[in-house]
Amino acid sequence: MRRKNRDMVEVSEARPPVRAKGSRERGPGGGAATTALWPILGLVVAITGWWLVTSAFNLVHPAVLPPPQEVLTAFDARSAELLEGLGATTLETVVGFLLSAVAGVLIGLALAASRAIERMFSPLLVAINAVPKIAFGPLLVVSLGWGQRPILTMVFLLSFFPIVLSTVTGLTTTPADLAELARSLDASRWQAFRKVRLPAALPQIFVGLKIAMPLAAIGAVIGEFQAGEGGLGYQIVQYSGVADSATAWAAIILVGVMSIVLYFALVLVERLALPWVRDTTSAR
């Protein structure tokens, strides 16, 4: 009896503690204040390295990469113009991303629903994605003219493929236990899709959306290089052409800031739309 009790105690001590529902273990870097501190620390390190390379050691010519103080001065001098370009590029990025998200999910649904459709069109989609999109720039200008239409098309071409791929992957990799549960309950095909397959695929779909968001920003800037009449991409080309690299770099930095804000806005949408994901996955 003592031997049995001792074994039960050892098993209970070896068993990991059960966490309350919705709780997540915090690592050494946990806490809201510490979480906000890490990006600030990374920014300080990056700016310090930038200053050391361009000012302290003069390793890079100012025409290629001006010092941070010159970029800040250029932004202060042309802040109104740069912020106006930021608004135009942000609008093109968001609209193009939404178009690619809707089309990408619908195409992914079609490919996942039919093996024949997948075999017919998957090679074509891979070929379109493999072609360098900048090669389409002159053709888009000739066919669509100047302005937002070729820019939105460029955003779409750059960002739709990851969404298609993630949608197909999510819908065709439903956990076997969930699929078996739907079959055991005699669920119809529509009920199984709405209650099981689509919810199980949403985390994977959001992975594709998060990959596509920075690509949408790249597409907007490339489109403005080719056919823009405004926006940050247009300003980068204009100021680089007159050797004002400081202002051009100010526009480039604004593109990066815009991409960061849009990406984490999408992360917030994912957390609000899929609250169960954080409760059913392990914390890092």
Side-chain angles (χ1 to χ4, degrees):
M1 180 65 68
R2 291 180 179 178
R3 175 69 178 177
K4 182 176 180 181
N5 292 338
R6 190 183 307 114
D7 292 340
M8 293 177 63
V9 170
E10 291 176 354
V11 170
S12 63
E13 290 178 350
R15 185 177 302 164
V18 179
R19 291 185 296 161
K21 184 178 180 181
S23 65
R24 295 178 66 87
E25 294 179 353
R26 295 185 181 274
T34 307
T35 302
L37 181 63
W38 285 113
I40 298 175
L41 180 60
L43 180 62
V44 171
V45 171
I47 294 177
T48 302
W50 179 9
W51 178 82
L52 290 174
V53 168
T54 56
S55 297
F57 301 113
N58 294 321
L59 298 178
V60 181
H61 195 279
V64 178
L65 179 62
Q69 60 269 22
E70 291 186 13
V71 175
L72 182 61
T73 302
F75 175 78
D76 184 62
R78 296 185 173 90
S79 58
E81 181 181 354
L82 289 170
L83 291 177
E84 182 180 357
L86 174 63
T89 303
T90 303
L91 178 63
E92 293 160 354
T93 301
V94 172
V95 173
F97 173 78
L98 292 176
L99 292 175
S100 64
V102 173
V105 170
L106 292 178
I107 295 172
L109 288 172
L111 295 178
S114 173
R115 183 64 63 87
I117 294 177
E118 181 183 4
R119 291 176 177 176
M120 288 171 60
F121 295 106
S122 290
L124 180 60
L125 293 174
V126 172
I128 294 174
N129 184 65
V131 176
K133 303 306 179 293
I134 196 169
F136 292 115
L139 298 176
L140 294 176
V141 173
V142 171
S143 58
L144 301 176
W146 297 88
Q148 286 191 342
R149 288 191 296 175
I151 297 173
L152 294 179
T153 304
M154 183 65 72
V155 174
F156 178 87
L157 290 174
L158 263 170
S159 57
F160 87 100
F161 187 76
I163 303 174
V164 173
L165 188 61
S166 64
T167 302
V168 174
T169 302
L171 291 174
T172 55
T173 56
T174 303
D177 53 347
L178 295 180
E180 183 63 28
L181 177 61
R183 284 192 293 268
S184 66
L185 295 176
D186 294 328
S188 64
R189 188 173 182 180
W190 167 246
Q191 289 174 330
F193 171 79
R194 185 168 60 91
K195 297 290 187 178
V196 177
R197 292 183 63 194
L198 183 59
L202 284 177
Q204 188 69 36
I205 293 174
F206 268 96
V207 171
L209 292 174
K210 288 186 288 187
I211 295 173
M213 178 59 81
L215 294 176
I218 295 172
V221 173
I222 292 176
E224 290 170 348
F225 284 168
Q226 301 284 338
E229 298 175 329
L232 294 175
Y234 177 81
Q235 291 172 354
I236 292 170
V237 172
Q238 293 299 310
Y239 287 113
S240 298
V242 297
D244 188 355
S245 59
T247 306
W249 271 99
I252 292 172
I253 292 172
L254 285 178
V255 173
V257 172
M258 176 197 71
S259 300
I260 293 172
V261 172
L262 293 178
Y263 177 84
F264 283 103
L266 185 59
V267 171
L268 178 61
V269 171
E270 179 187 16
R271 291 191 175 187
L272 295 176
L274 310 179
W276 69 86
V277 173
R278 289 173 60 85
D279 296 332
T280 57
T281 56
S282 61
R284 184 167 56 182

PDB file of all heavy atoms in Angstrom, residues 201-225:
ATOM      1  N   ALA A 201      -9.966  26.666 -40.908  1.00  0.00           N
ATOM      2  CA  ALA A 201      -9.063  27.239 -41.908  1.00  0.00           C
ATOM      3  C   ALA A 201      -8.738  28.704 -41.655  1.00  0.00           C
ATOM      4  O   ALA A 201      -7.777  29.221 -42.241  1.00  0.00           O
ATOM      5  CB  ALA A 201      -9.685  27.094 -43.306  1.00  0.00           C
ATOM      6  N   LEU A 202      -9.518  29.387 -40.821  1.00  0.00           N
ATOM      7  CA  LEU A 202      -9.328  30.828 -40.644  1.00  0.00           C
ATOM      8  C   LEU A 202      -7.932  31.210 -40.141  1.00  0.00           C
ATOM      9  O   LEU A 202      -7.357  32.191 -40.630  1.00  0.00           O
ATOM     10  CB  LEU A 202     -10.407  31.368 -39.696  1.00  0.00           C
ATOM     11  CG  LEU A 202     -11.793  31.535 -40.311  1.00  0.00           C
ATOM     12  CD1 LEU A 202     -12.796  32.005 -39.262  1.00  0.00           C
ATOM     13  CD2 LEU A 202     -11.765  32.513 -41.482  1.00  0.00           C
ATOM     14  N   PRO A 203      -7.331  30.493 -39.176  1.00  0.00           N
ATOM     15  CA  PRO A 203      -5.964  30.872 -38.791  1.00  0.00           C
ATOM     16  C   PRO A 203      -4.978  30.806 -39.948  1.00  0.00           C
ATOM     17  O   PRO A 203      -4.118  31.684 -40.098  1.00  0.00           O
ATOM     18  CB  PRO A 203      -5.617  29.858 -37.695  1.00  0.00           C
ATOM     19  CG  PRO A 203      -6.934  29.449 -37.132  1.00  0.00           C
ATOM     20  CD  PRO A 203      -7.867  29.436 -38.294  1.00  0.00           C
ATOM     21  N   GLN A 204      -5.103  29.796 -40.797  1.00  0.00           N
ATOM     22  CA  GLN A 204      -4.215  29.687 -41.952  1.00  0.00           C
ATOM     23  C   GLN A 204      -4.487  30.792 -42.958  1.00  0.00           C
ATOM     24  O   GLN A 204      -3.559  31.339 -43.571  1.00  0.00           O
ATOM     25  CB  GLN A 204      -4.403  28.313 -42.602  1.00  0.00           C
ATOM     26  CG  GLN A 204      -3.408  28.014 -43.698  1.00  0.00           C
ATOM     27  CD  GLN A 204      -2.003  27.822 -43.168  1.00  0.00           C
ATOM     28  OE1 GLN A 204      -1.819  27.273 -42.097  1.00  0.00           O
ATOM     29  NE2 GLN A 204      -1.016  28.294 -43.901  1.00  0.00           N
ATOM     30  N   ILE A 205      -5.757  31.154 -43.132  1.00  0.00           N
ATOM     31  CA  ILE A 205      -6.097  32.246 -44.057  1.00  0.00           C
ATOM     32  C   ILE A 205      -5.490  33.555 -43.571  1.00  0.00           C
ATOM     33  O   ILE A 205      -4.963  34.347 -44.373  1.00  0.00           O
ATOM     34  CB  ILE A 205      -7.630  32.357 -44.200  1.00  0.00           C
ATOM     35  CG1 ILE A 205      -8.190  31.118 -44.907  1.00  0.00           C
ATOM     36  CG2 ILE A 205      -8.012  33.611 -44.979  1.00  0.00           C
ATOM     37  CD1 ILE A 205      -9.703  31.077 -44.965  1.00  0.00           C
ATOM     38  N   PHE A 206      -5.521  33.791 -42.275  1.00  0.00           N
ATOM     39  CA  PHE A 206      -4.930  35.015 -41.748  1.00  0.00           C
ATOM     40  C   PHE A 206      -3.406  35.026 -41.914  1.00  0.00           C
ATOM     41  O   PHE A 206      -2.813  36.093 -42.028  1.00  0.00           O
ATOM     42  CB  PHE A 206      -5.316  35.212 -40.280  1.00  0.00           C
ATOM     43  CG  PHE A 206      -6.548  36.035 -40.092  1.00  0.00           C
ATOM     44  CD1 PHE A 206      -7.784  35.438 -39.915  1.00  0.00           C
ATOM     45  CD2 PHE A 206      -6.481  37.425 -40.122  1.00  0.00           C
ATOM     46  CE1 PHE A 206      -8.928  36.202 -39.747  1.00  0.00           C
ATOM     47  CE2 PHE A 206      -7.615  38.199 -39.951  1.00  0.00           C
ATOM     48  CZ  PHE A 206      -8.846  37.590 -39.776  1.00  0.00           C
ATOM     49  N   VAL A 207      -2.779  33.864 -41.926  1.00  0.00           N
ATOM     50  CA  VAL A 207      -1.350  33.822 -42.228  1.00  0.00           C
ATOM     51  C   VAL A 207      -1.098  34.378 -43.628  1.00  0.00           C
ATOM     52  O   VAL A 207      -0.184  35.194 -43.842  1.00  0.00           O
ATOM     53  CB  VAL A 207      -0.814  32.379 -42.104  1.00  0.00           C
ATOM     54  CG1 VAL A 207       0.615  32.288 -42.635  1.00  0.00           C
ATOM     55  CG2 VAL A 207      -0.859  31.911 -40.659  1.00  0.00           C
ATOM     56  N   GLY A 208      -1.905  33.948 -44.595  1.00  0.00           N
ATOM     57  CA  GLY A 208      -1.766  34.471 -45.945  1.00  0.00           C
ATOM     58  C   GLY A 208      -2.048  35.958 -46.028  1.00  0.00           C
ATOM     59  O   GLY A 208      -1.373  36.691 -46.758  1.00  0.00           O
ATOM     60  N   LEU A 209      -3.043  36.429 -45.276  1.00  0.00           N
ATOM     61  CA  LEU A 209      -3.358  37.858 -45.271  1.00  0.00           C
ATOM     62  C   LEU A 209      -2.201  38.674 -44.702  1.00  0.00           C
ATOM     63  O   LEU A 209      -1.871  39.752 -45.214  1.00  0.00           O
ATOM     64  CB  LEU A 209      -4.629  38.102 -44.456  1.00  0.00           C
ATOM     65  CG  LEU A 209      -5.931  37.560 -45.052  1.00  0.00           C
ATOM     66  CD1 LEU A 209      -7.076  37.737 -44.057  1.00  0.00           C
ATOM     67  CD2 LEU A 209      -6.278  38.249 -46.364  1.00  0.00           C
ATOM     68  N   LYS A 210      -1.574  38.162 -43.648  1.00  0.00           N
ATOM     69  CA  LYS A 210      -0.455  38.895 -43.043  1.00  0.00           C
ATOM     70  C   LYS A 210       0.774  38.890 -43.952  1.00  0.00           C
ATOM     71  O   LYS A 210       1.565  39.836 -43.927  1.00  0.00           O
ATOM     72  CB  LYS A 210      -0.130  38.301 -41.674  1.00  0.00           C
ATOM     73  CG  LYS A 210      -1.183  38.636 -40.622  1.00  0.00           C
ATOM     74  CD  LYS A 210      -0.779  38.163 -39.248  1.00  0.00           C
ATOM     75  CE  LYS A 210      -0.850  36.670 -39.108  1.00  0.00           C
ATOM     76  NZ  LYS A 210      -0.610  36.232 -37.699  1.00  0.00           N
ATOM     77  N   ILE A 211       0.941  37.841 -44.739  1.00  0.00           N
ATOM     78  CA  ILE A 211       2.026  37.851 -45.728  1.00  0.00           C
ATOM     79  C   ILE A 211       1.716  38.834 -46.848  1.00  0.00           C
ATOM     80  O   ILE A 211       2.602  39.526 -47.361  1.00  0.00           O
ATOM     81  CB  ILE A 211       2.240  36.434 -46.290  1.00  0.00           C
ATOM     82  CG1 ILE A 211       2.737  35.493 -45.195  1.00  0.00           C
ATOM     83  CG2 ILE A 211       3.221  36.449 -47.462  1.00  0.00           C
ATOM     84  CD1 ILE A 211       2.820  34.045 -45.626  1.00  0.00           C
ATOM     85  N   ALA A 212       0.450  38.912 -47.229  1.00  0.00           N
ATOM     86  CA  ALA A 212       0.062  39.746 -48.364  1.00  0.00           C
ATOM     87  C   ALA A 212       0.065  41.235 -48.042  1.00  0.00           C
ATOM     88  O   ALA A 212       0.238  42.050 -48.953  1.00  0.00           O
ATOM     89  CB  ALA A 212      -1.328  39.335 -48.852  1.00  0.00           C
ATOM     90  N   MET A 213      -0.111  41.611 -46.781  1.00  0.00           N
ATOM     91  CA  MET A 213      -0.203  43.034 -46.454  1.00  0.00           C
ATOM     92  C   MET A 213       1.068  43.810 -46.807  1.00  0.00           C
ATOM     93  O   MET A 213       0.999  44.856 -47.484  1.00  0.00           O
ATOM     94  CB  MET A 213      -0.561  43.202 -44.974  1.00  0.00           C
ATOM     95  CG  MET A 213      -0.622  44.657 -44.520  1.00  0.00           C
ATOM     96  SD  MET A 213      -1.844  45.631 -45.451  1.00  0.00           S
ATOM     97  CE  MET A 213      -3.344  45.154 -44.591  1.00  0.00           C
ATOM     98  N   PRO A 214       2.273  43.369 -46.400  1.00  0.00           N
ATOM     99  CA  PRO A 214       3.472  44.095 -46.842  1.00  0.00           C
ATOM    100  C   PRO A 214       3.664  44.060 -48.352  1.00  0.00           C
ATOM    101  O   PRO A 214       4.164  45.025 -48.949  1.00  0.00           O
ATOM    102  CB  PRO A 214       4.615  43.359 -46.119  1.00  0.00           C
ATOM    103  CG  PRO A 214       3.971  42.676 -44.965  1.00  0.00           C
ATOM    104  CD  PRO A 214       2.609  42.304 -45.438  1.00  0.00           C
ATOM    105  N   LEU A 215       3.258  42.953 -48.984  1.00  0.00           N
ATOM    106  CA  LEU A 215       3.357  42.882 -50.441  1.00  0.00           C
ATOM    107  C   LEU A 215       2.445  43.903 -51.108  1.00  0.00           C
ATOM    108  O   LEU A 215       2.774  44.442 -52.175  1.00  0.00           O
ATOM    109  CB  LEU A 215       3.003  41.469 -50.923  1.00  0.00           C
ATOM    110  CG  LEU A 215       3.965  40.350 -50.502  1.00  0.00           C
ATOM    111  CD1 LEU A 215       3.441  38.995 -50.972  1.00  0.00           C
ATOM    112  CD2 LEU A 215       5.347  40.606 -51.054  1.00  0.00           C
ATOM    113  N   ALA A 216       1.302  44.175 -50.491  1.00  0.00           N
ATOM    114  CA  ALA A 216       0.405  45.197 -51.029  1.00  0.00           C
ATOM    115  C   ALA A 216       1.055  46.569 -50.999  1.00  0.00           C
ATOM    116  O   ALA A 216       0.932  47.356 -51.948  1.00  0.00           O
ATOM    117  CB  ALA A 216      -0.908  45.205 -50.241  1.00  0.00           C
ATOM    118  N   ALA A 217       1.771  46.876 -49.914  1.00  0.00           N
ATOM    119  CA  ALA A 217       2.493  48.151 -49.837  1.00  0.00           C
ATOM    120  C   ALA A 217       3.575  48.228 -50.908  1.00  0.00           C
ATOM    121  O   ALA A 217       3.768  49.275 -51.550  1.00  0.00           O
ATOM    122  CB  ALA A 217       3.100  48.316 -48.444  1.00  0.00           C
ATOM    123  N   ILE A 218       4.290  47.123 -51.120  1.00  0.00           N
ATOM    124  CA  ILE A 218       5.302  47.096 -52.176  1.00  0.00           C
ATOM    125  C   ILE A 218       4.658  47.315 -53.534  1.00  0.00           C
ATOM    126  O   ILE A 218       5.173  48.064 -54.383  1.00  0.00           O
ATOM    127  CB  ILE A 218       6.060  45.755 -52.142  1.00  0.00           C
ATOM    128  CG1 ILE A 218       6.844  45.626 -50.836  1.00  0.00           C
ATOM    129  CG2 ILE A 218       6.998  45.617 -53.335  1.00  0.00           C
ATOM    130  CD1 ILE A 218       7.468  44.261 -50.640  1.00  0.00           C
ATOM    131  N   GLY A 219       3.521  46.665 -53.776  1.00  0.00           N
ATOM    132  CA  GLY A 219       2.824  46.837 -55.047  1.00  0.00           C
ATOM    133  C   GLY A 219       2.377  48.261 -55.283  1.00  0.00           C
ATOM    134  O   GLY A 219       2.452  48.774 -56.410  1.00  0.00           O
ATOM    135  N   ALA A 220       1.909  48.927 -54.227  1.00  0.00           N
ATOM    136  CA  ALA A 220       1.483  50.318 -54.372  1.00  0.00           C
ATOM    137  C   ALA A 220       2.658  51.213 -54.758  1.00  0.00           C
ATOM    138  O   ALA A 220       2.539  52.086 -55.637  1.00  0.00           O
ATOM    139  CB  ALA A 220       0.836  50.810 -53.078  1.00  0.00           C
ATOM    140  N   VAL A 221       3.804  51.008 -54.124  1.00  0.00           N
ATOM    141  CA  VAL A 221       4.976  51.830 -54.424  1.00  0.00           C
ATOM    142  C   VAL A 221       5.483  51.549 -55.843  1.00  0.00           C
ATOM    143  O   VAL A 221       5.805  52.479 -56.602  1.00  0.00           O
ATOM    144  CB  VAL A 221       6.087  51.576 -53.393  1.00  0.00           C
ATOM    145  CG1 VAL A 221       7.372  52.302 -53.789  1.00  0.00           C
ATOM    146  CG2 VAL A 221       5.629  52.048 -52.017  1.00  0.00           C
ATOM    147  N   ILE A 222       5.527  50.271 -56.239  1.00  0.00           N
ATOM    148  CA  ILE A 222       5.957  49.943 -57.600  1.00  0.00           C
ATOM    149  C   ILE A 222       4.991  50.537 -58.624  1.00  0.00           C
ATOM    150  O   ILE A 222       5.407  51.067 -59.663  1.00  0.00           O
ATOM    151  CB  ILE A 222       6.056  48.416 -57.766  1.00  0.00           C
ATOM    152  CG1 ILE A 222       7.192  47.871 -56.914  1.00  0.00           C
ATOM    153  CG2 ILE A 222       6.274  48.039 -59.229  1.00  0.00           C
ATOM    154  CD1 ILE A 222       7.310  46.358 -56.951  1.00  0.00           C
ATOM    155  N   GLY A 223       3.711  50.454 -58.330  1.00  0.00           N
ATOM    156  CA  GLY A 223       2.733  51.051 -59.237  1.00  0.00           C
ATOM    157  C   GLY A 223       2.902  52.552 -59.367  1.00  0.00           C
ATOM    158  O   GLY A 223       2.760  53.114 -60.462  1.00  0.00           O
ATOM    159  N   GLU A 224       3.222  53.208 -58.263  1.00  0.00           N
ATOM    160  CA  GLU A 224       3.453  54.654 -58.322  1.00  0.00           C
ATOM    161  C   GLU A 224       4.744  54.983 -59.058  1.00  0.00           C
ATOM    162  O   GLU A 224       4.855  56.051 -59.670  1.00  0.00           O
ATOM    163  CB  GLU A 224       3.478  55.223 -56.902  1.00  0.00           C
ATOM    164  CG  GLU A 224       2.118  55.217 -56.225  1.00  0.00           C
ATOM    165  CD  GLU A 224       2.189  55.552 -54.748  1.00  0.00           C
ATOM    166  OE1 GLU A 224       3.308  55.562 -54.187  1.00  0.00           O
ATOM    167  OE2 GLU A 224       1.117  55.770 -54.142  1.00  0.00           O
ATOM    168  N   PHE A 225       5.737  54.092 -58.991  1.00  0.00           N
ATOM    169  CA  PHE A 225       6.935  54.285 -59.814  1.00  0.00           C
ATOM    170  C   PHE A 225       6.570  54.356 -61.294  1.00  0.00           C
ATOM    171  O   PHE A 225       7.111  55.176 -62.040  1.00  0.00           O
ATOM    172  CB  PHE A 225       7.909  53.114 -59.623  1.00  0.00           C
ATOM    173  CG  PHE A 225       8.672  53.145 -58.335  1.00  0.00           C
ATOM    174  CD1 PHE A 225       9.398  52.035 -57.928  1.00  0.00           C
ATOM    175  CD2 PHE A 225       8.671  54.268 -57.513  1.00  0.00           C
ATOM    176  CE1 PHE A 225      10.117  52.043 -56.739  1.00  0.00           C
ATOM    177  CE2 PHE A 225       9.379  54.288 -56.315  1.00  0.00           C
ATOM    178  CZ  PHE A 225      10.099  53.175 -55.932  1.00  0.00           C
TER     179      PHE A 225
END
